[in-house]
Amino acid sequence: MQAWFDFLTIALIGSTSWLIAVRYIASAIRWLSFQSVMLALYTFALAVQSGHPELYWIAVATLLVKAWLIPYILYRALRHVGVDRQAEKAFGRDLLIVGVLAMWLIGYYVTPQLDAAQGPNLYLSVAIGMLLSGVLIMITHQKAMMQGIGLIVIENGLFLAALSTSLGMPFMVDIGIFLDVLVIVVLIAALTLRMDEQFSSMNIEKLKRLRG
Amino acid sequence: MRTLHILLSTLAGLLSLAIVALGWLTVRHTFLASPILNYEILAGIPVHVVVSLTPFGGLFLCMLGIVGVLAAVYGIGYGQQYESRRYGVWLDVGLLGFLLSMAAVFVAANVFTFILAWELMSIVSYMLVVYDYHDRENVKSGLIYASMTQLGAAFLLAAFFILHAYTGSYEFAVFARSASTIPPMAQDLAFLSAFVGFAAKAGVMPLHIWLPRAHPAAPSHVSALMSGVMIKTALYGFLLVSVFWLHAPFLWWGVLVAGVGAVSAVLGALHAGQETNLKRILAYSSIDNMGLLFLGTGMTLIELALQQPVLAGFTLTATIYQAFNHAFFKSLLFHGAGAVIHAAHTASLNRLGGLIKTMPWTSALILGGLLSFSALPPGGAFVSEWMLFSAFARSDAVQLHSVVGAVAMLALLAFLMTGALTVFSALRIFGVGFLADARSEGAAKAREAPITMRISLAMGLLVIIAAGVWPPAAVNFIASGLPRSLQFHAWRLWYGFDPHLSMWSIPILYTAIAAAATLAWLLPRLYLGRTDVTRVQTWTCGGKRSPAMSYTASGFSQPVQRVFHAAALPLAIRYLYRPLWQLVFSTTTIFRRVQNGHVRAYLLYLFMTVLVLLVVAR
Amino acid sequence: MREIIITAAQMIAIILLSPLLQGVIKKTKAVMQGRQGPATLQPYRDLRKYWAKSTVLSDSSSWVTRLGPYFAVGMMVCAAATLPVATFSSDLLIAGGSIFVLFYLLAGARFSLVLIGLDSGSAFAGMGASRDLLFAVMAEPSVFLALLAVGLTATPVSLPGIGLPLEQHLSLFFSPMRVLAMMAVFLIALAETGRLPVDNPDTHLELTMIHEGLLLELTGRHLALVTWGAYIRQVLWFTILIDVFFPWGITSGTGVMAIAFGFLLWVVKCLLLAVIVAFIESVSAKMRIFMVPRYLSFALLLAMAALLADTVL
């Protein structure tokens, strides 16, 4: 059982690190989907290990919403957009990988202070690292779609943090969070389409034109 | 609409009469000194509205009431031109509000009430200044006025809070008792903040930039109230803080105030002599007079610091007397200016002229006001400037062998120079604007002002003459408003300072002038009979005369301008305000780089915050 | 009652003697220039001529021109009543001889004259008025400060108070502050009476009629009054100089013999001063108009130095 958890955690780390360095948005969406599937499996394993029945439902919901629905919405929006589908990065690939590694280190470093009572929690550090990597994705990419992907990664990190410390959040809260994220993604998709219409580009730097 | 306007104006007049009566009673009978109203705004919150009638406040209430009556009567006729507008009646409502808020300032007895009344007064006057908002200039003037007012209010709050911090209470009565026991550094700070705050409202240099813009922008009777009474509220507040509460223990306070007042007086008078807009001239002369009043206040503070209570009382009485006279003649002049501008449709002196023939009554009454403006007999200002002169001369005599003597000498110099410059301005206004021939069509077609406006001007002139015809009564009245330690009896005044200000000097002087003038007319008339008068064109070396040949206002002031050109530099704008604006703009430009519109930059800020919180905060 | 008679006599004396002084100055100047010159009593004849003529007024003028001369003369005559002539007893003087009242009455007279000048709309008058006021702005503080320098310890600050101590103690004359103040007041007196080197009273050219310009449009009895007023002003300034700096012979009581003696001395001193002024006029040229502020600020500096000399010494 422990091996399952470790394998899934490594998969999560790998997918997050790779996400920041992808070239095409389409592959970023695919990796996101992969990451969500890993997360769903993690939840499933946790459900089996701890025996909470709700976690089964949450795993199914994760699979449905995060691994299928959200990528589907993003992919559809991407197809409507014009030619340029590259994930424009603000910095070079190497620098970004170093950045992600820094995030994992920070996550590892701050965890003991956060939860000294329960003992060293590796999964919590991974979760915090994922959270910070998500923010890093948002900062370093210039396309609106990538911001959305970064947001989902953040949410995944939070989800993982909740799972690793307290067996998930209350059921209702989880459902609410799913709804939230769905709405956000829909908004991001709509924003991308509008931006493409208005500026013929998904580059959020163009939004600066709207500043007064 | 018309009935409503007349009704509201009459109401304002009656209110002013009530204020005068209240002030008079308070000064004469000091039994009303304890708070008469202590109202808790909201239960549980320790914020009270405290109102009390003090003799000192009563003095200023009288001033307010008298000017208010004049303005209300004037407003009946003046407001008619605004009746056709949709918001015509609001002018009268604003006038009422203005009167009430200024009365509230004079009766406030704790910090909250004072600041409440102060801000109300500022807001209502701002709205009245931008009343004629179709003119872009007025709106801009109102903006500058509002900013300077708020700046002053900020400093006032600072001063009050310093006093509160050391005395533990917000009541003025407590301040009066214990403010002189707080540590010297705190006293200095409170004094300086109060000085800057009140100076911004009073319009002394260098905080004067709003006055020449705001006073011409407002309707004339509002300008009269603003110039006559509102800037005296600042004098009232400043005297309260420095004389009544802190008792001026340090010498440099008085020297600072006197210096600022002297500079303001001379520069204000110089600028008044250079302007061509009639109302701006009057506004600059208000700056000049406030400088004079602050000069008097400064000398009072010096004398208090040197333990000379009787001399301090005398100087303070002279200052307040001058404040009264200034309120009276300035309101008369603003009213007159309003009548002239309304009739001739121009405010520039270079386009007026010949009004003495087309508007005889108004011109004659304005001439009376200008006589008092230049401190010539008849008129109260003659007596009050005489008293100020005696006070400064006495102060110099007493402090002859010290540095303070030099200060008194410079004060005298500023005072005398201002006097000569105001005579110059008065002659320029009347000589160029009213005499000779009309220089523009508007002035040629001017008709006499409506009867209510003329009645107000006549009442104003009567008040001016009445204020100066019997100095002992006036001095006794004012001296009753001073703190007990500074009070003096009239006999001491006459004996100690200038016996010839005594009972009969002034009436004898006026009678003598009138008698001499009458004799000069009568004797030739009796001995040589009437003379026959022929009218010819003014001599122009043989050519045809046009009105443009007479001296314009700009030409009239050209010699003075050439000689004093160094003093006309816009020093305040260049060295104080422009650097401040630049500083504000460059600082905000720096902040502009932070708030630059890049979404990623904002995300970065979030990120850094989260990192810092995680790593540092445990 | 006696006091009123004495005061009235002093005033009438000043009024009647002023043209004589003008005549003396003109005669002296003529003699110095090698001419015969007009008769010493000529100003009286001029005034008589003016009285007899009819009035011609400008059509731009108003009641200011018709009433102004009377007020100007009225104020000058009252100013004459504030000056001690033969006696320093302050009961006789209006307002006790306070210098504030004296100079402000003179300012009031100047006020009326300027208004009369501007009333006709003549450009000469406008120029004369603006220059006259420029000089007034600079001269008034100087003269007050100079008089205060010598009279600071007097309470109130009045001419009797200033002159009496000097009359009683001759040694007071030889203090630096008194000499400085005397120079300052003398310079101002030359400016205020419109004498060379500030203004030329004999010509009617544009540039030299600062005072004359105001009178250009007056005729008949108005001209007579205002001209006489100018003569009275001259005598007043001489009297100020005499009272403050050369008061010996002026009594402090009201005895008739003493007053008569003081009066005689006053006439002699005035004539002496007139000769001195005429001498100065003959040897100096008129200054350029914008050099006059320098002259007046020099007088101001002298006055301030006099006042500070009091402080330091």
Side-chain angles (χ1 to χ4, degrees):
Chain A
M1 198 84 273
Q2 195 57 29
W4 250 136
F5 286 127
D6 290 336
F7 167 70
L8 289 170
T9 312
I10 292 175
L12 283 172
I13 293 175
S15 62
T16 313
S17 314
W18 190 241
L19 253 180
I20 203 170
V22 292
R23 182 191 284 268
Y24 290 103
I25 300 182
S27 60
I29 297 176
R30 277 196 280 274
W31 277 109
L32 184 70
S33 178
F34 172 72
Q35 191 185 58
S36 305
V37 169
M38 294 295 113
L39 203 59
L41 287 176
Y42 187 100
T43 318
F44 195 68
L46 197 60
V48 167
Q49 189 197 44
S50 65
H52 280 207
E54 314 161 328
L55 282 177
Y56 287 107
W57 291 110
I58 300 234
V60 168
T62 308
L63 203 62
L64 275 177
V65 176
K66 283 200 183 161
W68 180 74
L69 186 59
I70 286 177
Y72 176 67
I73 297 174
L74 288 174
Y75 204 69
R76 267 208 23 188
L78 189 64
R79 256 195 311 150
H80 278 264
V81 163
V83 187
D84 188 10
R85 296 180 191 176
Q86 293 193 4
E88 263 178 62
K89 300 186 280 279
F91 307 105
R93 187 182 275 201
D94 304 326
L95 199 58
L96 287 176
I97 299 278
V98 170
V100 173
L101 285 177
M103 296 300 117
W104 296 127
L105 277 174
I106 293 177
Y108 189 70
Y109 174 63
V110 299
T111 314
Q113 286 106 22
L114 286 175
D115 204 2
Q118 270 193 9
N121 196 338
L122 195 63
Y123 307 108
L124 184 59
S125 23
V126 170
I128 291 179
M130 264 178 78
L131 195 151
L132 294 173
S133 304
V135 182
L136 201 64
I137 293 177
M138 286 182 81
I139 292 176
T140 52
H141 287 81
Q142 287 171 336
K143 291 267 165 81
M145 199 73 78
M146 292 307 287
Q147 317 280 316
I149 290 176
L151 208 63
I152 308 297
V153 170
I154 291 175
E155 216 284 315
N156 283 350
L158 277 174
F159 189 61
L160 186 62
L163 284 179
S164 63
T165 46
S166 62
L167 296 178
M169 295 171 267
F171 187 66
M172 276 297 141
V173 177
D174 252 340
I175 300 295
I177 289 178
F178 279 136
L179 228 60
D180 255 339
V181 173
L182 201 60
V183 167
I184 289 174
V185 168
V186 168
L187 281 174
I188 296 265
L191 177 68
T192 308
L193 288 174
R194 273 296 274 162
M195 279 175 68
D196 186 60
E197 253 177 65
Q198 197 78 353
F199 308 121
S200 321
S201 150
M202 289 193 285
N203 193 335
I204 55 167
E205 292 303 313
K206 300 281 186 325
L207 282 176
K208 195 171 74 142
R209 265 198 246 157
L210 298 170
R211 177 186 67 160
Chain B
M1 205 39 68
R2 182 131 187 217
T3 8
L4 191 58
H5 162 69
I6 293 184
L7 207 65
L8 282 174
S9 298
T10 324
L11 189 62
L14 289 173
L15 176 71
S16 309
L17 275 175
I19 293 177
V20 174
L22 191 65
W24 180 273
L25 283 173
T26 316
V27 174
R28 281 278 162 225
H29 312 280
T30 56
F31 62 83
L32 294 167
S34 59
I36 59 171
L37 175 69
N38 194 330
Y39 177 70
E40 202 172 332
I41 297 281
L42 292 168
I45 300 180
V47 167
H48 301 244
V49 168
V50 181
V51 164
S52 91
L53 297 169
T54 55
F56 191 55
L59 280 177
F60 286 87
L61 280 177
C62 280
M63 192 196 297
L64 169 66
I66 294 176
V67 179
V69 169
L70 296 173
V73 173
Y74 184 84
I76 298 179
Y78 188 73
Q80 282 169 7
Q81 60 178 304
Y82 295 112
E83 261 174 33
S84 53
R85 304 191 196 182
R86 229 174 354 122
Y87 51 94
V89 159
W90 290 103
L91 182 60
D92 303 308
V93 175
L95 192 70
L96 267 172
F98 198 26
L99 286 169
L100 280 170
S101 55
M102 282 198 280
V105 169
F106 293 132
V107 299
N110 80 344
V111 173
F112 174 71
T113 325
F114 188 83
I115 297 283
L116 183 68
W118 191 263
E119 292 291 344
L120 261 178
M121 180 178 77
S122 310
I123 290 174
V124 176
S125 55
Y126 166 74
M127 292 203 278
L128 286 171
V129 163
V130 297
Y131 181 73
D132 200 359
Y133 59 83
H134 297 296
D135 190 346
R136 293 260 115 223
E137 276 303 309
N138 290 352
V139 178
K140 192 167 143 194
S141 315
L143 196 62
I144 296 181
Y145 171 53
S147 347
M148 293 299 291
T149 293
Q150 288 313 103
L151 183 75
F155 277 95
L156 279 187
L157 278 171
F160 282 132
F161 277 121
I162 294 175
L163 285 172
H164 164 72
Y166 283 93
T167 53
S169 151
Y170 287 112
E171 306 265 327
F172 283 6
V174 176
F175 287 165
R177 275 199 300 273
S178 40
S180 42
T181 57
I182 71 182
M185 186 72 102
Q187 282 195 16
D188 284 341
L189 218 61
F191 171 75
L192 279 172
S193 315
F195 181 49
V196 174
F198 285 120
K201 186 59 142 193
V204 297
M205 296 187 170
L207 298 167
H208 66 285
I209 54 170
W210 59 273
L211 227 160
R213 294 188 172 89
H215 283 209
S220 297
H221 51 317
V222 173
S223 297
L225 269 174
M226 277 172 72
S227 214
V229 191
M230 192 179 76
I231 54 184
K232 309 297 188 313
T233 58
L235 184 72
Y236 166 76
F238 184 61
L239 282 173
L240 216 54
V241 172
S242 55
V243 174
F244 281 75
W245 297 347
L246 294 173
H247 302 301
F250 305 118
L251 194 59
W252 65 267
W253 289 11
V255 175
L256 174 70
V257 175
V260 168
V263 167
S264 186
V266 177
L267 286 180
L270 274 171
H271 279 276
Q274 312 295 325
E275 291 284 332
T276 51
N277 180 323
L278 189 53
K279 277 188 162 189
R280 271 181 86 114
I281 296 177
L282 294 175
Y284 269 109
S285 102
S286 285
I287 295 178
D288 152 33
N289 260 286
M290 282 314 287
L292 211 58
L293 292 174
F294 269 75
L295 181 61
T297 311
M299 293 306 288
T300 313
L301 294 177
I302 290 179
E303 285 145 12
L304 273 177
L306 293 171
Q307 313 292 333
Q308 303 264 353
V310 181
L311 191 54
F314 181 57
T315 316
L316 191 57
T317 312
T319 311
I320 297 180
Y321 195 11
Q322 173 74 7
F324 266 82
N325 287 315
H326 174 247
F328 298 152
F329 70 68
K330 195 44 73 70
S331 57
L332 177 72
L333 287 175
F334 264 110
H335 289 157
V340 164
I341 295 174
H342 177 57
H345 300 292
T346 171
S348 166
L349 268 185
N350 288 338
R351 301 179 109 51
L352 293 173
L355 294 174
I356 196 167
K357 296 197 259 303
T358 50
M359 307 172 68
W361 289 105
T362 314
S363 312
L365 291 167
I366 290 179
L367 180 61
L370 284 174
L371 274 175
S372 185
F373 173 67
S374 14
L376 292 171
F382 174 62
V383 183
S384 60
E385 293 222 359
W386 186 359
M387 279 179 77
L388 274 176
F389 173 76
S390 299
F392 292 163
R394 197 85 196 100
S395 178
D396 199 1
V398 165
Q399 298 308 317
L400 200 48
H401 298 288
S402 76
V403 171
V404 181
V407 173
M409 180 184 85
L410 291 171
L412 265 173
L413 184 64
F415 173 75
L416 293 165
M417 201 168 242
T418 313
L421 283 167
T422 40
V423 173
F424 173 76
S425 294
L427 281 168
R428 181 169 172 257
I429 293 175
F430 198 73
V432 174
F434 287 80
L435 297 179
D437 292 313
R439 291 185 185 79
S440 72
E441 215 178 290
K445 294 214 183 97
R447 283 180 305 126
E448 185 61 87
I451 188 76
T452 45
M453 282 158 75
R454 274 180 279 164
I455 290 179
S456 166
L457 290 177
M459 277 165 41
L461 189 59
L462 276 174
V463 169
I464 288 175
I465 295 181
V469 79
W470 198 250
V475 166
N476 276 332
F477 183 68
I478 294 174
S480 343
L482 298 185
R484 200 146 292 273
S485 56
L486 295 181
Q487 284 185 5
F488 53 92
H489 282 290
W491 65 264
R492 185 134 187 216
L493 161 71
W494 315 140
Y495 181 70
F497 298 112
D498 211 329
H500 309 290
L501 274 166
S502 71
M503 307 288 170
W504 291 103
S505 290
I506 300 282
I508 289 179
L509 183 66
Y510 293 172
T511 327
I513 296 175
T518 319
L519 269 180
W521 173 79
L522 198 60
L523 287 176
R525 185 72 176 259
L526 288 177
Y527 285 113
L528 301 170
R530 281 189 88 139
T531 171
D532 37 325
V533 174
T534 329
R535 292 260 175 189
V536 293
Q537 194 193 42
T538 310
W539 175 244
T540 53
C541 298
K544 184 170 186 330
R545 177 184 152 73
S546 82
M549 283 186 179
S550 24
Y551 247 54
T552 58
S554 325
F556 199 80
S557 52
Q558 194 250 9
V560 176
Q561 187 188 25
R562 266 184 78 158
V563 173
F564 292 103
H565 67 91
L569 289 173
L571 283 173
I573 299 257
R574 197 184 289 178
Y575 294 113
L576 183 64
Y577 290 102
R578 192 155 285 154
L580 270 177
W581 294 334
Q582 305 285 33
L583 187 67
V584 169
F585 282 144
S586 54
T587 318
T588 48
T589 315
I590 293 177
F591 278 100
R592 209 82 194 293
R593 284 198 227 122
V594 167
Q595 199 177 35
N596 51 16
H598 289 231
V599 177
R600 285 167 41 230
Y602 300 152
L603 285 171
L604 186 64
Y605 302 149
L606 269 167
F607 185 53
M608 299 310 288
T609 317
V610 170
L611 270 184
V612 164
L613 281 174
L614 275 180
V615 171
V616 172
R618 280 133 208 219
Chain C
M1 195 58 209
R2 192 150 162 244
E3 286 88 21
I4 298 182
I5 295 178
I6 298 177
T7 312
Q10 274 185 187
M11 280 161 60
I12 294 177
I14 290 181
I15 295 174
L16 289 180
L17 278 171
S18 44
L20 175 66
L21 216 63
Q22 173 80 355
V24 166
I25 295 179
K26 281 199 144 165
K27 189 73 170 174
T28 318
K29 275 207 292 198
V31 164
M32 288 202 65
Q33 289 166 13
R35 301 186 277 121
Q36 184 95 4
T40 317
L41 296 180
Q42 184 59 24
Y44 289 102
R45 298 191 191 114
D46 286 337
L47 286 174
R48 195 177 66 185
K49 176 180 73 174
Y50 293 150
W51 281 118
K53 297 220 169 188
S54 62
T55 311
V56 176
L57 292 175
S58 154
D59 56 5
S60 313
S61 63
S62 61
W63 54 265
V64 170
T65 309
R66 297 190 74 157
L67 294 183
Y70 304 116
F71 278 103
V73 169
M75 294 225 190
M76 295 245 215
V77 164
C78 285
T82 68
L83 277 181
V85 169
T87 162
F88 271 133
S89 167
S90 58
D91 294 332
L92 300 179
L93 307 168
I94 292 185
S98 165
I99 59 175
F100 187 85
V101 174
L102 167 65
F103 289 112
Y104 266 70
L105 279 174
L106 285 176
R110 185 187 2 246
F111 192 91
S112 318
L113 282 174
V114 168
L115 280 184
I116 292 171
L118 289 172
D119 196 24
S120 59
S122 154
F124 298 116
M127 177 154 47
S130 77
R131 290 170 175 191
D132 195 24
L133 287 172
L134 169 67
F135 299 159
V137 164
M138 306 197 66
E140 225 179 88
S142 316
V143 75
F144 269 111
L145 283 180
L147 287 178
L148 270 179
V150 294
L152 207 50
T153 47
T155 323
V157 189
S158 67
L159 285 160
I162 298 175
L164 206 49
L166 177 58
E167 210 263 333
Q168 290 164 343
H169 309 282
L170 178 58
S171 56
L172 283 176
F173 185 76
F174 297 104
S175 58
M177 86 178 162
R178 206 162 273 265
V179 173
L180 287 172
M182 181 176 75
M183 281 165 57
V185 177
F186 190 68
L187 289 175
I188 304 282
L190 282 179
E192 289 275 334
T193 51
R195 301 243 144 242
L196 285 164
V198 173
D199 182 20
N200 194 338
D202 298 327
T203 67
H204 282 250
L205 299 171
E206 280 167 16
L207 297 178
T208 65
M209 55 174 189
I210 294 174
H211 176 68
E212 303 299 315
L214 300 173
L215 311 180
L216 204 62
E217 295 289 327
L218 288 175
T219 51
R221 55 188 65 180
H222 302 300
L223 183 60
L225 275 172
V226 174
T227 316
W228 210 338
Y231 297 159
I232 296 176
R233 187 173 58 191
Q234 199 164 260
V235 173
L236 289 183
W237 276 100
F238 288 174
T239 316
I240 291 174
L241 274 170
I242 293 171
D243 280 343
V244 177
F245 299 110
F246 312 105
W248 307 290
I250 305 183
T251 71
S252 42
T254 55
V256 177
M257 287 313 294
I259 289 183
F261 181 62
F263 183 73
L264 214 58
L265 269 181
W266 171 75
V267 173
V268 168
K269 286 183 220 170
C270 273
L271 291 174
L272 266 174
L273 260 179
V275 170
I276 295 176
V277 166
F279 180 73
I280 293 179
E281 278 209 288
S282 306
V283 302
S284 42
K286 185 180 167 320
M287 279 192 290
R288 239 188 76 204
I289 183 81
F290 285 107
M291 292 289 161
V292 176
R294 252 196 243 178
Y295 165 94
L296 289 171
S297 39
F298 178 61
L300 178 64
L301 277 175
L302 284 176
M304 277 169 52
L307 200 53
L308 285 176
D310 231 350
T311 314
V312 169
L313 296 175

